[in-house]
Amino acid sequence: MATIDIRGVRKSYGATEVIRGIDCAVADGELLVLLGPSGCGKSTLLRMVAGLERITEGEIAIAGRVVNALEPKDRNIAMVFQNYALYPHMSVYDNMAYGLRIKGMSRAAIDAAVQKAAATLELTPFLARKPKELSGGQRQRVAMGRAIVREPDVFLFDEPLSNLDAKLRTQMRVEIKKLQGRLGVTSLYVTHDQVEAMTLADRIVVMHAGAAEQIGTPMEIYARPASVFVGGFIGSPPMNMLPAEVAADGAALTLAGGVQLPLGQSLGAEHRGRPVTLGIRPEHLHPGAEAPGALPALVDLVEALGADTVVHARLPGGAALLCRLPGDSAVARGARLALHPAPGALHLFDPASGRRLPEG
Amino acid sequence: MRRKVIFEHKLLPYLLLAPQLAITLVFFIWPSVQAMWMSLLREDMFGLSSTFVGLENYVRVLSDPGYVAAVRRTVVFSVAVALLALLPALLLAVMVDKLTRRVATYRVILVLPYAIAPAIAGVLWLFMFNPSVGIVAAGIRGLGFAWNPKLDGQDAMILVILASAWKQISYNFLFFLAGLQAIPKSLLEAAAIDGAGEWRRFRTIVLPLLSPVTFFLVTVNVVYAFFDTFGVIHAVTQGGPAKATEVLVYKAWYDGIIATDFGISSAQSVILMAVVIALTAIQFRFIDRKVTY
């Protein structure tokens, strides 16, 4: 049973705190993605799990054993680096065998393990080559191979796909997912790419400024973002964020420009008459007939992407609004649309803290 | 694709090259050709006439037991200087590379000896190891060893080796440090995760990746020991006692300037030149292939 437990972990460089108290746990066999923009501390957290950075405060346990004081080699982990970190002077075979030789395995056992990993990753024809004689995708595979031959308790991935081109990235993403599922090895995966996170993760930790903003399954995070940051970070194009005010009866919102939007529920007394931030995903706006409760929008720009059409529109108050329509929608610049939010697709956030309002 | 820059002016490229070519011509080609010519001549003892003797000077040089002894001495000296200049430099570079701050300060301090003129470095060591007034010499004697580089040839050799190596450590240190810093940290991290301890990482990752630098430095140090140590030896021992520290370059100078046997001295210079050309050729060959990975 290999689990990872991260308890109250903090990290400071001098006076600068980069990880500000994170608690999360990775279950046995689970793939947990740490997702966030650059500088949010996700790589630092991963490196602390790997033992490459010291933990300032808190505790990290792998397979139930606290590893704070352990060297990387004593943690029984394998890591795939962003730049692959293949040993340039060794052949593919030696790259994969390096860790096994250090373990003192017999020559035959090493050969069997390397051949098996190479076969899994379709690297057998390249075993004698040096890393510089391989393509980016092949190098990525070697890095994976080096991780899997050691049969570690835990895989750590530090943005392993970000050096690949878009097509290869999609392909390798699928392969990593399959491989991880088949091997069933507990994995921690760092990325700044939300699509990668959504497709790979069993659960996602959305990180922002050194803290975990939300932890949940991809669909939970998509359906109920816990903060303005998460709402804006997950989903493409990003969620529309509009300033609004709760009506006196708590059952409707007044948007800038005087547009009224019924909430379909009544908010508690403490919110009435208060400002809120309204979040609506572009894909949850549907054009329809002019009616109360629809957003009257003026089309500024139309991006036809084939499968979808992204409409950049403007509300009466001047607020910009994105709307994602089916690819066959015939919308022209300058057109007026009445956009109906899908039922239950309104997200309300506290404008001061950015957190989601508790639902009544 | 590299675009070729084309100068309209036909003369301009030659003008731009002229200063460098002039320097090479005046300070290298001309003296070399003159040395080669002089190595084929023999002067009478008053320096009034010279006769062409073909390769006789070379035959005399190579069959002279004194010259063969100097060759042997030079090999010992060069290997010792190269080792003593490379190993401490590597050690210092590894330690400075581990620092996270004040790297620049340490680098400057460690590079300073390189800025000292060879003769001054020599005199410095001469004073420290002087059997009558030297502070280090006093220390060595205090430990119960007999130490007198003025009388004991072996002591003298040790002294010039130390002085020569010490001056070259800075240079090697700089190159080793640059080489170490060029190794991606993630490689060492990957090796650490693969289970390699510090020494093993150094042996299996750092040293192989450093091999182009090491190879370059070995050649440079051997060339240094062959030629640039003249100043140190001249200041410290003048090749003595009893020629115990007379290496090839010192012998060529001595036979030419002191003994004024220009033919013999020139022949020795030409042999030395051939050696350095060979060393450089080997270096270029290897740097182009093998050591790169």
Side-chain angles (χ1 to χ4, degrees):
Chain A
M1 286 295 283
T3 55
I4 307 173
D5 294 289
I6 296 169
R7 292 188 282 262
V9 165
R10 291 172 179 274
K11 172 75 185 174
S12 311
Y13 294 106
T16 328
E17 193 166 47
V18 291
I19 304 278
R20 299 181 302 171
I22 289 197
D23 288 275
C24 69
V26 192
D28 186 42
E30 184 183 33
L31 196 158
L32 186 79
V33 169
L34 299 175
L35 173 68
S38 48
C40 72
K42 56 191 189 302
S43 281
T44 308
L45 184 61
L46 186 83
R47 291 168 59 82
M48 286 196 281
V49 175
L52 300 173
E53 298 278 349
R54 237 174 250 139
I55 300 161
T56 310
E57 210 183 302
E59 228 174 46
I60 293 178
I62 297 175
R65 182 174 57 139
V66 175
V67 294
N68 283 37
L70 291 185
E71 291 287 313
K73 66 185 168 80
D74 301 321
R75 299 186 179 201
N76 199 17
I77 50 171
M79 183 156 164
V80 178
F81 290 83
Q82 181 172 359
N83 62 2
Y84 316 137
L86 301 179
Y87 312 127
H89 56 299
M90 296 183 198
S91 66
V92 169
Y93 187 98
D94 289 337
N95 262 281
M96 291 203 263
Y98 185 76
L100 305 180
R101 289 192 181 126
I102 291 172
K103 266 193 196 168
M105 280 169 61
S106 75
R107 196 177 282 262
I110 291 175
D111 193 58
V114 171
Q115 294 293 352
K116 189 176 150 210
T120 310
L121 293 160
E122 293 165 28
L123 282 171
T124 313
F126 310 113
L127 282 175
R129 291 207 196 163
K130 294 271 171 71
K132 69 165 183 190
E133 299 161 327
L134 300 176
S135 71
Q138 288 162 346
R139 283 180 211 183
Q140 219 286 325
R141 266 177 231 270
V142 178
M144 292 286 299
R146 193 169 63 180
I148 67 174
V149 282
R150 294 188 34 232
E151 300 184 352
D153 282 343
V154 168
F155 282 151
L156 303 173
F157 297 91
D158 189 6
E159 309 220 14
L161 303 181
S162 54
N163 281 4
L164 298 177
D165 62 58
K167 200 176 154 206
L168 208 51
R169 199 180 311 157
T170 316
Q171 193 186 325
M172 286 307 292
R173 195 167 74 204
V174 176
E175 286 188 29
I176 289 182
K177 176 85 174 163
K178 278 192 203 155
L179 194 65
Q180 194 269 339
R182 189 146 45 85
L183 299 172
V185 177
T186 310
S187 303
L188 199 54
Y189 188 110
V190 162
T191 181
H192 62 266
D193 181 339
Q194 49 129 341
V195 180
E196 217 168 285
M198 295 291 281
T199 49
L200 277 173
D202 292 317
R203 283 188 308 145
I204 298 176
V205 178
V206 183
M207 288 185 60
H208 178 45
E213 288 267 318
Q214 187 171 7
I215 304 177
T217 66
M219 281 322 285
E220 275 168 21
I221 287 175
Y222 174 81
R224 287 176 43 84
S227 66
V228 170
F229 175 81
V230 177
F233 198 75
I234 298 277
S236 174
M239 184 183 262
N240 295 298
M241 295 292 174
L242 303 168
E245 203 178 283
V246 182
D249 61 357
L253 295 178
T254 311
L255 270 60
V259 181
Q260 292 281 326
L261 203 60
L263 277 172
Q265 57 162 340
S266 188
L267 287 175
E270 70 275 21
H271 299 300
R272 292 179 187 172
R274 306 282 305 250
V276 290
T277 299
L278 167 67
I280 314 174
R281 294 205 179 273
E283 53 272 37
H284 292 155
L285 287 168
H286 305 292
E290 293 266 359
L295 299 169
L298 178 67
V299 177
D300 268 348
L301 179 75
V302 179
E303 293 177 301
L305 303 176
D308 306 304
T309 299
V310 176
V311 175
H312 296 247
R314 195 170 295 282
L315 289 178
L321 193 71
L322 285 175
C323 168
R324 182 160 151 188
L325 304 178
D328 55 4
S329 312
V331 180
R333 191 167 164 248
R336 289 187 178 281
L337 293 176
L339 295 170
H340 295 255
L346 300 183
H347 306 270
L348 299 180
F349 303 100
D350 181 332
S353 69
R355 305 301 299 179
R356 186 182 189 88
L357 292 188
E359 261 123 294
Chain B
M1 283 295 283
R2 228 168 63 189
R3 277 229 327 254
K4 224 174 166 173
V5 180
I6 294 166
F7 291 104
E8 291 293 319
H9 211 297
K10 284 264 191 286
L11 205 61
L12 185 62
Y14 297 101
L15 279 176
L16 291 172
L17 281 175
Q20 181 62 49
L21 287 176
I23 288 171
T24 313
L25 204 67
V26 172
F27 291 101
F28 180 68
I29 309 279
W30 185 21
S32 310
V33 170
Q34 205 162 27
M36 277 189 262
W37 174 238
M38 277 168 70
S39 72
L40 304 175
L41 300 178
R42 182 159 191 196
E43 283 197 3
D44 72 90
M45 61 185 184
F46 300 111
L48 297 173
S49 66
S50 48
T51 32
F52 184 83
V53 292
L55 294 175
E56 201 198 303
N57 285 330
Y58 289 93
V59 174
R60 275 173 57 208
V61 164
L62 294 173
S63 56
D64 172 14
Y67 189 77
V68 176
V71 169
R72 208 171 290 140
R73 213 176 285 134
T74 307
V75 169
V76 171
F77 175 76
S78 304
V79 169
V81 167
L83 279 181
L84 280 178
L86 284 168
L87 292 180
L90 180 58
L91 185 70
L92 287 170
V94 166
M95 296 202 294
V96 170
D97 187 46
K98 289 206 183 307
L99 295 174
T100 46
R101 54 190 112 174
R102 303 228 183 281
V103 177
T105 317
Y106 281 98
R107 203 169 46 203
V108 168
I109 292 171
L110 288 169
V111 166
L112 274 180
Y114 195 61
I116 296 172
I120 295 179
V123 170
L124 200 76
W125 283 78
L126 186 62
F127 272 130
M128 288 195 298
F129 285 87
N130 183 295
S132 347
V133 298
I135 185 156
V136 183
I140 295 174
R141 276 214 220 123
L143 291 172
F145 295 101
W147 172 260
N148 195 339
K150 294 211 153 175
L151 296 176
D152 185 321
Q154 204 175 339
D155 288 358
M157 191 56 144
I158 292 172
L159 182 54
V160 287
I161 287 172
L162 286 178
S164 306
W166 174 74
K167 256 202 64 63
Q168 193 64 6
I169 286 177
S170 304
Y171 181 87
N172 297 341
F173 161 77
L174 259 194
F175 274 84
F176 274 134
L177 184 61
L180 287 172
Q181 286 176 340
I183 297 174
K185 288 282 165 284
S186 60
L187 284 184
L188 300 175
E189 291 172 351
I193 288 174
D194 267 344
E198 185 121 11
W199 171 240
R200 189 161 193 144
R201 289 201 293 273
F202 183 74
R203 211 160 41 82
T204 57
I205 310 288
V206 175
L207 270 188
L209 294 182
L210 218 48
S211 63
V213 176
T214 311
F215 189 78
F216 165 78
L217 286 178
V218 166
T219 322
V220 167
N221 279 271
V222 169
V223 171
Y224 163 81
F226 258 67
F227 299 95
D228 292 349
T229 49
F230 176 82
V232 173
I233 294 175
H234 192 50
V236 177
T237 62
Q238 284 93 42
K243 306 223 176 281
T245 54
E246 192 182 67
V247 294
L248 288 176
V249 68
Y250 200 84
K251 185 170 169 56
W253 174 82
Y254 187 88
D255 288 352
I257 305 297
I258 307 297
T260 59
D261 193 340
F262 295 126
I264 291 291
S265 172
S266 299
Q268 292 182 27
S269 308
V270 172
I271 293 172
L272 279 175
M273 192 163 73
V275 170
V276 79
I277 288 174
L279 280 173
T280 316
I282 294 172
Q283 182 185 347
F284 279 144
R285 257 192 120 82
F286 270 89
I287 278 199
D288 279 352
R289 316 183 201 151
K290 259 209 131 163
V291 245
T292 47
Y293 36 82

